[in-house]
């Protein structure tokens, strides 16, 4: 497997509490990697180090390296906006921007100056709404507020908005946990469709979802990576006792 | 399950009575003020009052109106509010975007709170000294500058309170797309908070247009409508003051009428900005 993200000796702290302990993992390119583990095990914290979101928490700090295509995103001369352009995030709850549906998708294109002229914008917005499977539902109401959409539609809008800036990596922080079952299915289906083009990392606390999505799986417990490997191997034949216990639903 | 006079119930009833009486006192005062002003002013509120400047002998009960003060007050308050807005919005956004909960943010907020509490006559005196130092006369410009200073802390603090209530999710969503902090402030925070920002502007405008003490020294008073920034100008609060302090009942009545005009202007501007903010409200996230 070819690694897209390499994590080396990564430690993360909230104030004095250590949330991640010496993490060393590799995330394969153009596959879905699922990070699982019980609440408070540090899975979301690990995900947040991939787009440098952890530093938005007051008092959070990181040591070690996160390499995207062999380049350390924590190096001093790195532009954090460039990192976040390359590494998109699908949050737990959809957070549409206070704009119309159209502007929500066009926003990223606009700030990164990725298109020129109205026509190019229109085409791009249409394209990414189609990719996210939302176009048919919103094509007649593009200029209405994004808040008028259902929460499932909002999450697909957030997906379209994130894809529009052409990231290489998609992070999903429990992206279906706020959604109803049908909307969750929509999002899962999209992630599976898109995995041939994007490196995807999804945090989930539902084991069944992990099994449906994962090509590669990482199990975390108390801030440490207990086991990581191809999903099939982890789910059928875990090497560690703690992984086995988790998969059997003991905690 | 019968209701009994327990301690908890008595406490609740007492608190409710306290809240209700506070409301009655406030509403009663407002009603009384409006009644006093309107009942005494309405008979003198003629078309002549709002369409003409004072003629000779106006302050002894002869012909004319207070158009000079109406226009003067609108100029002063709009100018002051515009000036304050130019400075306040960047301060409020800077406080939120770059200072946050830091010590510096704390000191800036503290000094703004102190500025808010300073009586306007002190601003007037300060403006007067400044004018003398610069060799200026009492003028529309000086009045605008001083009103701008008075409105500044009110506007910044009101905006700050609104902007601090911005949902963190929204900010994170914009940051996750690779926005800089400035882009978040300009494209997302100010859009989401627009209705609140308009309320802050309105609050400041209300204080500006109603203030008499600060413009007394700095804008002066004249019977003419100013045609340049360097000319002195009349204002409604001073028009009320001068007319009420004459011994003639007819002129005093016109003073009350001027107060009615001032109240109506504030009311119209409140309603207008509410209407605007309701229309701009369409895209905000609730």
């Amino acid at each position: 497997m070819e690694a897209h993200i390499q994590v080396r000796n990564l430690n993360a702290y909230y104030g004095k509490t250590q949330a991640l302990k010496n993490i060393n993992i590799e995330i394969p390119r153009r596959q879905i990697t699922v990070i699982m583990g019980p609440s408070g095990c540090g899975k979301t914290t690990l995900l947040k180090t991939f787009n440098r979101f952890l530093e938005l928490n007051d008092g959070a700090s990181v040591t070690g390296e996160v390499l995207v295509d062999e380049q350390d995103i924590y190096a001093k001369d790195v532009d954090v906006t460039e990192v976040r352009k390359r590494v998109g995030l699908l949050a737990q709850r959809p957070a549409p921007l206070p704009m119309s549906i159209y502007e929500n998708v066009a926003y990223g294109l606009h700030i990164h100056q990725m298109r020129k002229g109205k026509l190019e914008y229109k085409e791009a917005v249409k394209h990414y709404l189609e990719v996210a499977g939302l176009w048919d539902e919103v094509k007649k109401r593009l200029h209405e507020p994004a808040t008028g959409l259902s929460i499932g539609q909002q999450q697909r809008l957030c997906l379209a908005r994130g894809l529009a800036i052409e990231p290489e990596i998609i992070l999903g922080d429990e992206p279906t946990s706020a959604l109803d079952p049908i909307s969750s299915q929509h999002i899962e289906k999209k992630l599976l469709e898109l995995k041939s083009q994007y490196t995807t990392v999804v945090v989930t606390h539902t084991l069944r979802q992990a099994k449906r999505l994962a090509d590669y799986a990482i199990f975390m417990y108390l801030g440490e990576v207990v086991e990581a490997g191809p999903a099939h191997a982890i789910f059928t034949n875990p090497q560690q006792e703690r992984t086995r216990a988790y998969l059997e639903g003991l905690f | 399950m019968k209701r009994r006079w327990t301690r908890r119930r008595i406490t609740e009833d007492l608190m409710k009575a306290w809240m209700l009486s506070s409301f009655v006192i406030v509403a009663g005062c407002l009603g009384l003020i409006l009644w006093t002003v309107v009942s005494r002013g309405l008979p003198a509120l003629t078309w002549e009052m709002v369409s003409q400047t004072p003629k000779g002998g106006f302050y002894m009960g002869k012909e004319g109106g207070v158009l000079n003060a109406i226009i003067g007050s609108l100029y002063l308050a709009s100018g002051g509010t515009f000036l304050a807005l130019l400075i306040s919005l960047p301060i409020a956004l800077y406080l939120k975007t770059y200072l946050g909960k830091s010590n510096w943010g704390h000191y800036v907020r503290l000094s703004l709170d102190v500025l808010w509490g300073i009586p306007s006559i002190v601003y007037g005196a300060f403006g007067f000294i400044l004018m003398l130092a610069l060799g200026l006369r009492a003028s529309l410009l000086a009045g605008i500058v001083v009103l701008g200073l008075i409105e500044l802390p009110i506007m910044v603090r009101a905006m700050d309170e609104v902007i601090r209530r911005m949902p963190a999710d929204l900010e994170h969503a914009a940051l996750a797309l690779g926005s800089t902090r400035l882009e978040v402030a300009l494209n997302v925070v100010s859009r989401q908070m627009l209705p609140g920002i308009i309320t802050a502007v309105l609050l400041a405008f209300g204080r500006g247009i109603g203030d008499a003490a600060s413009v007394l020294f700095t804008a002066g008073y004249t019977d003419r409508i100013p045609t340049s920034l360097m000319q002195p100008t009349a204002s409604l609060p001073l028009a009320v003051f001068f007319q009420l302090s004459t011994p003639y009942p007819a002129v005093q009545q016109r003073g009350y009428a001027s107060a009615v005009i001032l109240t109506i202007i504030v009311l119209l501007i409140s309603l207008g900005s509410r209407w605007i903010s309701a229309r701009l409200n369409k895209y905000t996230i609730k």
Side-chain angles (χ1 to χ4, degrees):
Chain A
M1 105 189 178
E2 192 213 342
H4 196 170
I5 307 176
Q6 293 162 287
V7 180
R8 290 192 189 146
N9 306 323
L10 185 76
N11 291 285
Y13 305 85
Y14 292 109
K16 282 182 183 151
T17 322
Q18 186 164 11
L20 293 178
K21 294 171 190 161
N22 197 34
I23 308 283
N24 284 285
I25 45 162
E26 301 198 328
I27 309 261
R29 189 183 297 274
R30 297 204 183 100
Q31 292 189 13
I32 298 184
T33 300
V34 168
I35 307 176
M36 51 189 183
S39 302
C41 70
K43 49 192 193 299
T44 297
T45 306
L46 180 61
L47 194 80
K48 280 182 175 177
T49 62
F50 297 165
N51 69 341
R52 291 197 37 187
F53 245 41
L54 203 62
E55 61 205 52
L56 299 179
N57 288 58
D58 283 330
S61 59
V62 172
T63 65
E65 292 180 328
V66 175
L67 302 150
V68 174
D69 281 327
E70 324 256 292
Q71 211 189 359
D72 183 12
I73 60 169
Y74 284 91
K76 279 228 165 70
D77 57 341
V78 167
D79 180 358
V80 67
T81 59
E82 274 306 306
V83 172
R84 293 181 188 148
K85 183 181 173 302
R86 286 173 67 184
V87 186
L89 173 73
L90 198 55
Q92 202 163 19
R93 308 193 113 267
L97 299 171
M99 308 167 182
S100 67
I101 294 167
Y102 178 91
E103 288 171 304
N104 258 278
V105 183
Y107 174 76
L109 298 168
H110 172 70
I111 58 170
H112 295 292
Q113 300 176 334
M114 295 169 71
R115 294 287 190 283
K116 282 196 187 95
K118 264 199 165 162
L119 199 67
E120 278 187 38
Y121 271 100
K122 272 187 182 165
E123 279 169 7
V125 170
K126 178 172 185 241
H127 174 72
Y128 286 104
L129 283 170
E130 278 170 351
V131 171
L134 194 61
W135 174 252
D136 287 331
E137 290 158 64
V138 300
K139 62 185 175 194
K140 292 207 177 94
R141 46 197 278 218
L142 285 176
H143 296 285
E144 284 174 32
T147 40
L149 298 173
S150 76
I151 191 157
Q153 289 172 323
Q154 286 182 18
Q155 191 65 314
R156 277 180 281 150
L157 178 68
C158 290
L159 183 64
R161 175 179 82 183
L163 294 177
I165 56 172
E166 295 165 19
E168 303 157 20
I169 298 168
I170 306 172
L171 306 178
D173 180 9
E174 303 188 19
T176 63
S177 64
L179 310 183
D180 60 275
I182 305 228
S183 304
S184 301
Q185 261 181 26
H186 263 295
I187 293 286
E188 281 188 22
K189 211 177 99 201
K190 280 296 152 197
L191 291 177
L192 288 167
E193 276 173 31
L194 294 167
K195 77 173 181 185
S196 58
Q197 298 166 56
Y198 302 91
T199 299
T200 311
V201 188
V202 178
V203 162
T204 179
H205 59 215
T206 39
L207 201 52
R208 272 181 296 177
Q209 184 176 54
K211 286 181 178 165
R212 284 194 298 266
L213 292 177
D215 298 308
Y216 194 84
I218 297 169
F219 172 63
M220 291 184 72
Y221 187 60
L222 298 176
E224 289 176 73
V225 169
V226 176
E227 198 167 348
H232 184 71
I234 298 260
F235 288 128
T236 54
N237 185 22
Q239 302 299 307
Q240 299 284 329
E241 195 47 48
R242 282 176 293 178
T243 317
R244 196 185 309 273
Y246 179 75
L247 292 175
E248 283 167 6
L250 292 184
F251 59 90
Chain B
M1 290 303 201
K2 242 176 85 180
R3 272 162 67 97
R4 259 174 298 172
W5 285 99
T6 59
R7 209 183 127 145
R8 292 168 67 199
R9 246 199 87 197
I10 294 172
T11 316
E12 185 176 2
D13 287 349
L14 278 177
M15 292 310 266
K16 260 162 81 181
W18 187 14
M19 294 174 202
L20 198 67
S21 44
S22 301
F23 170 75
V24 169
I25 290 170
V26 171
C29 288
L30 182 67
L32 267 175
I33 292 172
L34 282 178
W35 170 246
T36 313
V37 171
V38 172
S39 66
R40 297 189 188 191
L42 214 52
L45 190 60
T46 56
W47 179 242
E48 199 185 345
M49 270 296 279
V50 294
S51 63
Q52 288 186 23
T53 54
K55 300 287 177 304
F58 176 72
Y59 299 101
M60 286 181 306
K62 300 231 173 95
E63 279 148 30
V66 291
L67 184 66
N68 60 328
I70 296 173
I71 302 282
S73 262
L74 286 176
Y75 280 169
L76 281 166
S78 323
T81 306
F82 180 68
L83 191 66
L85 178 64
L86 278 186
I87 308 173
S88 300
L89 194 59
I91 297 179
L93 288 176
Y94 190 86
L95 266 173
K96 155 81 184 165
T97 310
Y98 300 101
L99 293 184
K101 291 174 202 139
S102 68
N103 281 342
W104 264 108
H106 178 74
Y107 296 136
V108 171
R109 290 189 178 100
L110 182 71
S111 47
L112 286 168
D113 288 345
V114 172
L115 283 176
W116 190 332
I118 292 176
S120 60
I121 188 81
V122 178
Y123 281 98
F126 169 74
F128 187 62
I129 294 168
L130 201 68
M131 266 165 43
L132 290 183
L134 294 174
L136 290 171
R137 286 175 47 220
S139 61
L140 180 56
L141 181 67
I144 286 175
V145 170
V146 170
L147 279 183
L149 288 177
I150 290 181
E151 291 182 25
L152 180 80
I154 302 169
M155 218 187 261
V156 178
R157 287 299 272 132
M159 283 181 187
D160 185 44
E161 287 305 320
V162 177
I163 289 174
R164 276 208 280 185
R165 269 187 277 126
M166 165 94 184
D169 281 3
L170 265 183
E171 228 181 303
H172 288 181
L175 286 173
L177 293 169
S179 313
T180 60
R181 288 193 174 269
L182 182 68
E183 284 160 350
V184 175
L186 294 182
N187 302 328
V188 182
V189 177
S190 49
R191 272 180 102 143
Q192 168 74 4
M193 294 300 156
L194 202 56
I197 290 172
I198 289 174
T199 309
V201 169
L202 183 71
L203 203 64
F205 182 90
R207 166 101 197 249
I209 201 166
D211 200 71
S214 59
V215 291
L216 181 64
F217 291 137
T218 51
Y221 199 87
T222 166
D223 286 349
R224 268 174 304 195
I225 294 169
T227 49
S228 100
L229 280 171
M230 303 316 287
Q231 287 174 2
T233 179
S235 53
L236 277 169
L238 288 179
V240 176
F241 175 66
F242 290 144
Q243 291 175 106
L244 283 184
S245 43
T246 58
Y248 310 106
V251 180
Q252 285 178 3
Q253 215 177 35
R254 286 180 184 167
Y256 285 109
S258 310
V260 174
I261 295 169
L262 184 57
T263 313
I264 290 172
I265 290 176
V266 173
L267 184 70
L268 285 180
I269 286 173
S270 302
L271 292 177
S273 56
R274 254 156 227 265
W275 184 74
I276 293 170
S277 92
R279 300 204 59 183
L280 296 174
N281 217 346
K282 198 172 142 195
Y283 292 125
T284 48
I285 312 290
K286 277 160 202 109

